[in-house]
Amino acid sequence: MDAPDANIGYCTQLVRELDRDRYVANLFAPEAARGALMALHAFNIEVSRIREAITNPLAGEVRLQWWSDALIGDARGDVKANPVAAALIDTINRHSLPRPTFFALIDARIFDLYDDAMPTVNDLEGYAGETSSALIRLGTLILTGAAPGGGGERALADAAGHAGVAYAVTGLLRAFPHHARRGQCYVPLDLLKAHGVGREAAVSGQATPGLIAALADLRNLARRHYEQAMAALAGVEPANYPAFLPLALVPGDLARMARAHDPFTRVPAVSVPGRIWRLWRASRGFGNGVR
């Protein structure tokens, strides 16, 4: 196996182990695009899990800076020795992916390193847009090779924007118990304040009526973006659908969390076969409003 194949193999295994939803979705993409999608999503895993591997935020910022430097050729050490970085740079070059989108994604991930609360709903939507929505849009560029500004760009941009927010907010809600235990608060302060809840109460481990109401509002936000994404997908070319498939998991995840009694207890996800079935069903008719 030559180096590029080995790098893609490493990325594929990483995505399979740590981001199963996107791994399965990538399998519905044309074979020629799968390796690049795996490299893109392996990169996302690397920058999103930095918090788990550091002892202080400054060390995390150094790691994120390394990724920025790697994309412009200024990183210390042999970048090609890192299989994810090597595969990503090859993917960017092969598909002419816009580097500024990656820099914005990396900058957005700085928020993950600290315990600062998310200030507003708009800030949360912006964070999700620069991370989750950006991944979807980059995925469509890999799938179709279409440069921004082409036909159907408005519908595609709207679909990617709303889908990314819906998927990211749902994921943050699923991870709420984990984040609360380590003092992180992605629930926007303006939303908490509207229900008489402060940041400390949101991570206290006590399910107050105000917190439960705030989390319900956050689920409603995810649902609204999901519906807007589904409407926009009607104007998106089917070749782009694989990048959107994880969106099909949002309604079920939100419904299960709505039925939970304690927001500080992790809600079990749908079984792997169940999630695969939902992704398969979406792949058969996503543009026709399949739920």
Side-chain angles (χ1 to χ4, degrees), residues 23-38 95 139-140 142-145 238-243 245 283:
Y23 169 77
V24 174
N26 290 346
L27 298 182
F28 290 102
E31 185 175 359
R34 287 177 203 159
L37 291 170
M38 295 298 183
H95 296 274
T140 65
I142 291 170
L143 287 163
T144 66
N240 293 290
Y241 291 166
L245 291 184
S283 75

PDB file of all heavy atoms in Angstrom, residues 23-38 95 139-140 142-145 238-243 245 283:
ATOM      1  N   TYR A  23     -19.228   8.297   8.875  1.00  0.00           N
ATOM      2  CA  TYR A  23     -18.594   7.164   8.195  1.00  0.00           C
ATOM      3  C   TYR A  23     -19.609   6.434   7.321  1.00  0.00           C
ATOM      4  O   TYR A  23     -19.354   6.182   6.138  1.00  0.00           O
ATOM      5  CB  TYR A  23     -18.012   6.202   9.222  1.00  0.00           C
ATOM      6  CG  TYR A  23     -17.580   4.877   8.634  1.00  0.00           C
ATOM      7  CD1 TYR A  23     -16.393   4.765   7.913  1.00  0.00           C
ATOM      8  CD2 TYR A  23     -18.382   3.737   8.773  1.00  0.00           C
ATOM      9  CE1 TYR A  23     -16.008   3.551   7.354  1.00  0.00           C
ATOM     10  CE2 TYR A  23     -18.002   2.523   8.214  1.00  0.00           C
ATOM     11  CZ  TYR A  23     -16.812   2.438   7.505  1.00  0.00           C
ATOM     12  OH  TYR A  23     -16.443   1.234   6.944  1.00  0.00           O
ATOM     13  N   VAL A  24     -20.762   6.109   7.888  1.00  0.00           N
ATOM     14  CA  VAL A  24     -21.784   5.403   7.115  1.00  0.00           C
ATOM     15  C   VAL A  24     -22.283   6.280   5.978  1.00  0.00           C
ATOM     16  O   VAL A  24     -22.471   5.811   4.845  1.00  0.00           O
ATOM     17  CB  VAL A  24     -22.947   4.956   8.023  1.00  0.00           C
ATOM     18  CG1 VAL A  24     -24.075   4.353   7.193  1.00  0.00           C
ATOM     19  CG2 VAL A  24     -22.457   3.954   9.065  1.00  0.00           C
ATOM     20  N   ALA A  25     -22.503   7.562   6.245  1.00  0.00           N
ATOM     21  CA  ALA A  25     -22.969   8.466   5.190  1.00  0.00           C
ATOM     22  C   ALA A  25     -21.982   8.502   4.029  1.00  0.00           C
ATOM     23  O   ALA A  25     -22.376   8.514   2.860  1.00  0.00           O
ATOM     24  CB  ALA A  25     -23.175   9.870   5.759  1.00  0.00           C
ATOM     25  N   ASN A  26     -20.693   8.489   4.346  1.00  0.00           N
ATOM     26  CA  ASN A  26     -19.679   8.532   3.293  1.00  0.00           C
ATOM     27  C   ASN A  26     -19.723   7.297   2.390  1.00  0.00           C
ATOM     28  O   ASN A  26     -19.342   7.355   1.220  1.00  0.00           O
ATOM     29  CB  ASN A  26     -18.284   8.654   3.906  1.00  0.00           C
ATOM     30  CG  ASN A  26     -18.047  10.012   4.537  1.00  0.00           C
ATOM     31  OD1 ASN A  26     -18.799  10.956   4.314  1.00  0.00           O
ATOM     32  ND2 ASN A  26     -16.994  10.124   5.335  1.00  0.00           N
ATOM     33  N   LEU A  27     -20.192   6.187   2.934  1.00  0.00           N
ATOM     34  CA  LEU A  27     -20.265   4.965   2.137  1.00  0.00           C
ATOM     35  C   LEU A  27     -21.308   5.071   1.032  1.00  0.00           C
ATOM     36  O   LEU A  27     -21.270   4.299   0.067  1.00  0.00           O
ATOM     37  CB  LEU A  27     -20.576   3.769   3.034  1.00  0.00           C
ATOM     38  CG  LEU A  27     -19.535   3.439   4.114  1.00  0.00           C
ATOM     39  CD1 LEU A  27     -19.955   2.212   4.902  1.00  0.00           C
ATOM     40  CD2 LEU A  27     -18.148   3.244   3.503  1.00  0.00           C
ATOM     41  N   PHE A  28     -22.232   6.003   1.153  1.00  0.00           N
ATOM     42  CA  PHE A  28     -23.240   6.215   0.114  1.00  0.00           C
ATOM     43  C   PHE A  28     -22.738   7.163  -0.979  1.00  0.00           C
ATOM     44  O   PHE A  28     -23.437   7.394  -1.966  1.00  0.00           O
ATOM     45  CB  PHE A  28     -24.528   6.768   0.724  1.00  0.00           C
ATOM     46  CG  PHE A  28     -25.277   5.776   1.563  1.00  0.00           C
ATOM     47  CD1 PHE A  28     -25.209   5.831   2.949  1.00  0.00           C
ATOM     48  CD2 PHE A  28     -26.031   4.773   0.987  1.00  0.00           C
ATOM     49  CE1 PHE A  28     -25.883   4.914   3.737  1.00  0.00           C
ATOM     50  CE2 PHE A  28     -26.718   3.844   1.759  1.00  0.00           C
ATOM     51  CZ  PHE A  28     -26.641   3.913   3.143  1.00  0.00           C
ATOM     52  N   ALA A  29     -21.554   7.728  -0.780  1.00  0.00           N
ATOM     53  CA  ALA A  29     -20.963   8.609  -1.792  1.00  0.00           C
ATOM     54  C   ALA A  29     -20.303   7.765  -2.878  1.00  0.00           C
ATOM     55  O   ALA A  29     -19.946   6.602  -2.647  1.00  0.00           O
ATOM     56  CB  ALA A  29     -19.941   9.525  -1.141  1.00  0.00           C
ATOM     57  N   PRO A  30     -20.113   8.318  -4.069  1.00  0.00           N
ATOM     58  CA  PRO A  30     -19.377   7.595  -5.114  1.00  0.00           C
ATOM     59  C   PRO A  30     -17.990   7.199  -4.606  1.00  0.00           C
ATOM     60  O   PRO A  30     -17.360   7.940  -3.840  1.00  0.00           O
ATOM     61  CB  PRO A  30     -19.284   8.625  -6.249  1.00  0.00           C
ATOM     62  CG  PRO A  30     -20.435   9.549  -6.009  1.00  0.00           C
ATOM     63  CD  PRO A  30     -20.595   9.629  -4.528  1.00  0.00           C
ATOM     64  N   GLU A  31     -17.526   6.063  -5.031  1.00  0.00           N
ATOM     65  CA  GLU A  31     -16.249   5.547  -4.533  1.00  0.00           C
ATOM     66  C   GLU A  31     -15.112   6.538  -4.725  1.00  0.00           C
ATOM     67  O   GLU A  31     -14.229   6.663  -3.863  1.00  0.00           O
ATOM     68  CB  GLU A  31     -15.913   4.231  -5.230  1.00  0.00           C
ATOM     69  CG  GLU A  31     -14.670   3.549  -4.697  1.00  0.00           C
ATOM     70  CD  GLU A  31     -14.428   2.196  -5.330  1.00  0.00           C
ATOM     71  OE1 GLU A  31     -15.248   1.771  -6.178  1.00  0.00           O
ATOM     72  OE2 GLU A  31     -13.422   1.553  -4.982  1.00  0.00           O
ATOM     73  N   ALA A  32     -15.126   7.270  -5.816  1.00  0.00           N
ATOM     74  CA  ALA A  32     -14.047   8.211  -6.111  1.00  0.00           C
ATOM     75  C   ALA A  32     -13.973   9.349  -5.098  1.00  0.00           C
ATOM     76  O   ALA A  32     -12.918   9.985  -4.954  1.00  0.00           O
ATOM     77  CB  ALA A  32     -14.218   8.786  -7.513  1.00  0.00           C
ATOM     78  N   ALA A  33     -15.075   9.619  -4.402  1.00  0.00           N
ATOM     79  CA  ALA A  33     -15.102  10.737  -3.446  1.00  0.00           C
ATOM     80  C   ALA A  33     -14.919  10.292  -2.002  1.00  0.00           C
ATOM     81  O   ALA A  33     -14.671  11.123  -1.129  1.00  0.00           O
ATOM     82  CB  ALA A  33     -16.427  11.492  -3.570  1.00  0.00           C
ATOM     83  N   ARG A  34     -15.030   8.997  -1.733  1.00  0.00           N
ATOM     84  CA  ARG A  34     -15.051   8.532  -0.341  1.00  0.00           C
ATOM     85  C   ARG A  34     -13.769   8.849   0.419  1.00  0.00           C
ATOM     86  O   ARG A  34     -13.797   9.283   1.573  1.00  0.00           O
ATOM     87  CB  ARG A  34     -15.314   7.030  -0.290  1.00  0.00           C
ATOM     88  CG  ARG A  34     -16.731   6.658  -0.625  1.00  0.00           C
ATOM     89  CD  ARG A  34     -16.909   5.158  -0.634  1.00  0.00           C
ATOM     90  NE  ARG A  34     -18.061   4.775  -1.443  1.00  0.00           N
ATOM     91  CZ  ARG A  34     -18.247   3.577  -1.965  1.00  0.00           C
ATOM     92  NH1 ARG A  34     -17.336   2.626  -1.751  1.00  0.00           N
ATOM     93  NH2 ARG A  34     -19.300   3.317  -2.694  1.00  0.00           N
ATOM     94  N   GLY A  35     -12.633   8.613  -0.219  1.00  0.00           N
ATOM     95  CA  GLY A  35     -11.370   8.853   0.476  1.00  0.00           C
ATOM     96  C   GLY A  35     -11.229  10.297   0.904  1.00  0.00           C
ATOM     97  O   GLY A  35     -10.798  10.588   2.032  1.00  0.00           O
ATOM     98  N   ALA A  36     -11.586  11.226   0.034  1.00  0.00           N
ATOM     99  CA  ALA A  36     -11.490  12.647   0.363  1.00  0.00           C
ATOM    100  C   ALA A  36     -12.452  13.010   1.486  1.00  0.00           C
ATOM    101  O   ALA A  36     -12.110  13.795   2.382  1.00  0.00           O
ATOM    102  CB  ALA A  36     -11.779  13.488  -0.878  1.00  0.00           C
ATOM    103  N   LEU A  37     -13.654  12.449   1.461  1.00  0.00           N
ATOM    104  CA  LEU A  37     -14.612  12.717   2.535  1.00  0.00           C
ATOM    105  C   LEU A  37     -14.102  12.175   3.871  1.00  0.00           C
ATOM    106  O   LEU A  37     -14.257  12.813   4.919  1.00  0.00           O
ATOM    107  CB  LEU A  37     -15.969  12.095   2.200  1.00  0.00           C
ATOM    108  CG  LEU A  37     -16.735  12.751   1.048  1.00  0.00           C
ATOM    109  CD1 LEU A  37     -17.936  11.900   0.649  1.00  0.00           C
ATOM    110  CD2 LEU A  37     -17.186  14.164   1.422  1.00  0.00           C
ATOM    111  N   MET A  38     -13.485  10.996   3.842  1.00  0.00           N
ATOM    112  CA  MET A  38     -12.924  10.433   5.072  1.00  0.00           C
ATOM    113  C   MET A  38     -11.805  11.325   5.607  1.00  0.00           C
ATOM    114  O   MET A  38     -11.695  11.542   6.822  1.00  0.00           O
ATOM    115  CB  MET A  38     -12.400   9.024   4.820  1.00  0.00           C
ATOM    116  CG  MET A  38     -13.461   7.994   4.463  1.00  0.00           C
ATOM    117  SD  MET A  38     -14.692   7.737   5.776  1.00  0.00           S
ATOM    118  CE  MET A  38     -15.679   6.412   5.002  1.00  0.00           C
ATOM    119  N   HIS A  95      -9.106  18.812  -4.830  1.00  0.00           N
ATOM    120  CA  HIS A  95     -10.476  19.294  -5.029  1.00  0.00           C
ATOM    121  C   HIS A  95     -10.587  20.817  -4.949  1.00  0.00           C
ATOM    122  O   HIS A  95     -11.705  21.343  -4.963  1.00  0.00           O
ATOM    123  CB  HIS A  95     -11.402  18.638  -4.010  1.00  0.00           C
ATOM    124  CG  HIS A  95     -11.507  17.150  -4.162  1.00  0.00           C
ATOM    125  ND1 HIS A  95     -12.398  16.558  -5.033  1.00  0.00           N
ATOM    126  CD2 HIS A  95     -10.813  16.135  -3.579  1.00  0.00           C
ATOM    127  CE1 HIS A  95     -12.252  15.240  -4.973  1.00  0.00           C
ATOM    128  NE2 HIS A  95     -11.301  14.963  -4.101  1.00  0.00           N
ATOM    129  N   GLY A 139     -17.939  19.101   1.881  1.00  0.00           N
ATOM    130  CA  GLY A 139     -18.287  17.785   1.359  1.00  0.00           C
ATOM    131  C   GLY A 139     -18.949  17.868  -0.003  1.00  0.00           C
ATOM    132  O   GLY A 139     -18.670  17.052  -0.890  1.00  0.00           O
ATOM    133  N   THR A 140     -19.798  18.870  -0.192  1.00  0.00           N
ATOM    134  CA  THR A 140     -20.452  19.006  -1.505  1.00  0.00           C
ATOM    135  C   THR A 140     -19.441  19.384  -2.586  1.00  0.00           C
ATOM    136  O   THR A 140     -19.588  18.978  -3.748  1.00  0.00           O
ATOM    137  CB  THR A 140     -21.577  20.053  -1.470  1.00  0.00           C
ATOM    138  OG1 THR A 140     -21.033  21.361  -1.224  1.00  0.00           O
ATOM    139  CG2 THR A 140     -22.607  19.713  -0.396  1.00  0.00           C
ATOM    140  N   ILE A 142     -16.401  18.351  -2.694  1.00  0.00           N
ATOM    141  CA  ILE A 142     -15.732  17.091  -3.016  1.00  0.00           C
ATOM    142  C   ILE A 142     -16.628  16.236  -3.911  1.00  0.00           C
ATOM    143  O   ILE A 142     -16.167  15.621  -4.876  1.00  0.00           O
ATOM    144  CB  ILE A 142     -15.367  16.331  -1.733  1.00  0.00           C
ATOM    145  CG1 ILE A 142     -14.253  17.066  -0.979  1.00  0.00           C
ATOM    146  CG2 ILE A 142     -14.944  14.893  -2.035  1.00  0.00           C
ATOM    147  CD1 ILE A 142     -13.992  16.538   0.415  1.00  0.00           C
ATOM    148  N   LEU A 143     -17.902  16.211  -3.605  1.00  0.00           N
ATOM    149  CA  LEU A 143     -18.836  15.349  -4.329  1.00  0.00           C
ATOM    150  C   LEU A 143     -19.084  15.823  -5.757  1.00  0.00           C
ATOM    151  O   LEU A 143     -19.230  14.998  -6.669  1.00  0.00           O
ATOM    152  CB  LEU A 143     -20.164  15.279  -3.575  1.00  0.00           C
ATOM    153  CG  LEU A 143     -20.152  14.448  -2.290  1.00  0.00           C
ATOM    154  CD1 LEU A 143     -21.352  14.781  -1.422  1.00  0.00           C
ATOM    155  CD2 LEU A 143     -20.135  12.955  -2.629  1.00  0.00           C
ATOM    156  N   THR A 144     -19.160  17.118  -5.956  1.00  0.00           N
ATOM    157  CA  THR A 144     -19.563  17.628  -7.261  1.00  0.00           C
ATOM    158  C   THR A 144     -18.470  18.394  -7.987  1.00  0.00           C
ATOM    159  O   THR A 144     -18.552  18.575  -9.203  1.00  0.00           O
ATOM    160  CB  THR A 144     -20.787  18.557  -7.131  1.00  0.00           C
ATOM    161  OG1 THR A 144     -20.395  19.737  -6.404  1.00  0.00           O
ATOM    162  CG2 THR A 144     -21.914  17.857  -6.379  1.00  0.00           C
ATOM    163  N   GLY A 145     -17.477  18.894  -7.237  1.00  0.00           N
ATOM    164  CA  GLY A 145     -16.436  19.698  -7.856  1.00  0.00           C
ATOM    165  C   GLY A 145     -16.923  21.051  -8.315  1.00  0.00           C
ATOM    166  O   GLY A 145     -16.225  21.771  -9.025  1.00  0.00           O
ATOM    167  N   PRO A 238     -29.053  16.078  -6.590  1.00  0.00           N
ATOM    168  CA  PRO A 238     -28.911  14.810  -5.849  1.00  0.00           C
ATOM    169  C   PRO A 238     -27.467  14.390  -5.610  1.00  0.00           C
ATOM    170  O   PRO A 238     -27.186  13.696  -4.632  1.00  0.00           O
ATOM    171  CB  PRO A 238     -29.643  13.809  -6.745  1.00  0.00           C
ATOM    172  CG  PRO A 238     -30.662  14.630  -7.459  1.00  0.00           C
ATOM    173  CD  PRO A 238     -29.991  15.944  -7.725  1.00  0.00           C
ATOM    174  N   ALA A 239     -26.549  14.807  -6.472  1.00  0.00           N
ATOM    175  CA  ALA A 239     -25.144  14.427  -6.287  1.00  0.00           C
ATOM    176  C   ALA A 239     -24.593  14.928  -4.956  1.00  0.00           C
ATOM    177  O   ALA A 239     -23.615  14.390  -4.436  1.00  0.00           O
ATOM    178  CB  ALA A 239     -24.297  14.970  -7.432  1.00  0.00           C
ATOM    179  N   ASN A 240     -25.233  15.952  -4.380  1.00  0.00           N
ATOM    180  CA  ASN A 240     -24.780  16.516  -3.111  1.00  0.00           C
ATOM    181  C   ASN A 240     -25.338  15.796  -1.883  1.00  0.00           C
ATOM    182  O   ASN A 240     -24.878  16.040  -0.768  1.00  0.00           O
ATOM    183  CB  ASN A 240     -25.190  17.990  -3.014  1.00  0.00           C
ATOM    184  CG  ASN A 240     -24.484  18.869  -4.008  1.00  0.00           C
ATOM    185  OD1 ASN A 240     -23.290  19.107  -3.897  1.00  0.00           O
ATOM    186  ND2 ASN A 240     -25.227  19.353  -5.008  1.00  0.00           N
ATOM    187  N   TYR A 241     -26.327  14.944  -2.079  1.00  0.00           N
ATOM    188  CA  TYR A 241     -27.047  14.369  -0.941  1.00  0.00           C
ATOM    189  C   TYR A 241     -26.176  13.647   0.087  1.00  0.00           C
ATOM    190  O   TYR A 241     -26.438  13.752   1.289  1.00  0.00           O
ATOM    191  CB  TYR A 241     -28.143  13.409  -1.418  1.00  0.00           C
ATOM    192  CG  TYR A 241     -29.307  14.073  -2.123  1.00  0.00           C
ATOM    193  CD1 TYR A 241     -30.224  13.323  -2.847  1.00  0.00           C
ATOM    194  CD2 TYR A 241     -29.483  15.453  -2.069  1.00  0.00           C
ATOM    195  CE1 TYR A 241     -31.291  13.921  -3.504  1.00  0.00           C
ATOM    196  CE2 TYR A 241     -30.541  16.058  -2.720  1.00  0.00           C
ATOM    197  CZ  TYR A 241     -31.445  15.284  -3.439  1.00  0.00           C
ATOM    198  OH  TYR A 241     -32.500  15.879  -4.086  1.00  0.00           O
ATOM    199  N   PRO A 242     -25.145  12.889  -0.318  1.00  0.00           N
ATOM    200  CA  PRO A 242     -24.367  12.184   0.706  1.00  0.00           C
ATOM    201  C   PRO A 242     -23.812  13.090   1.800  1.00  0.00           C
ATOM    202  O   PRO A 242     -23.666  12.663   2.948  1.00  0.00           O
ATOM    203  CB  PRO A 242     -23.250  11.515  -0.098  1.00  0.00           C
ATOM    204  CG  PRO A 242     -23.873  11.263  -1.441  1.00  0.00           C
ATOM    205  CD  PRO A 242     -24.721  12.479  -1.681  1.00  0.00           C
ATOM    206  N   ALA A 243     -23.519  14.343   1.471  1.00  0.00           N
ATOM    207  CA  ALA A 243     -22.991  15.269   2.476  1.00  0.00           C
ATOM    208  C   ALA A 243     -24.039  15.645   3.512  1.00  0.00           C
ATOM    209  O   ALA A 243     -23.695  16.097   4.605  1.00  0.00           O
ATOM    210  CB  ALA A 243     -22.460  16.535   1.793  1.00  0.00           C
ATOM    211  N   LEU A 245     -26.652  13.466   4.551  1.00  0.00           N
ATOM    212  CA  LEU A 245     -27.352  12.316   5.110  1.00  0.00           C
ATOM    213  C   LEU A 245     -27.461  12.302   6.635  1.00  0.00           C
ATOM    214  O   LEU A 245     -28.508  11.914   7.169  1.00  0.00           O
ATOM    215  CB  LEU A 245     -26.708  11.009   4.616  1.00  0.00           C
ATOM    216  CG  LEU A 245     -26.885  10.703   3.126  1.00  0.00           C
ATOM    217  CD1 LEU A 245     -26.284   9.342   2.803  1.00  0.00           C
ATOM    218  CD2 LEU A 245     -28.349  10.740   2.715  1.00  0.00           C
ATOM    219  N   SER A 283     -30.895   8.241   1.869  1.00  0.00           N
ATOM    220  CA  SER A 283     -30.140   8.186   0.614  1.00  0.00           C
ATOM    221  C   SER A 283     -31.026   7.813  -0.565  1.00  0.00           C
ATOM    222  O   SER A 283     -30.696   8.111  -1.710  1.00  0.00           O
ATOM    223  CB  SER A 283     -28.992   7.176   0.734  1.00  0.00           C
ATOM    224  OG  SER A 283     -29.472   5.837   0.669  1.00  0.00           O
TER     225      SER A 283
END
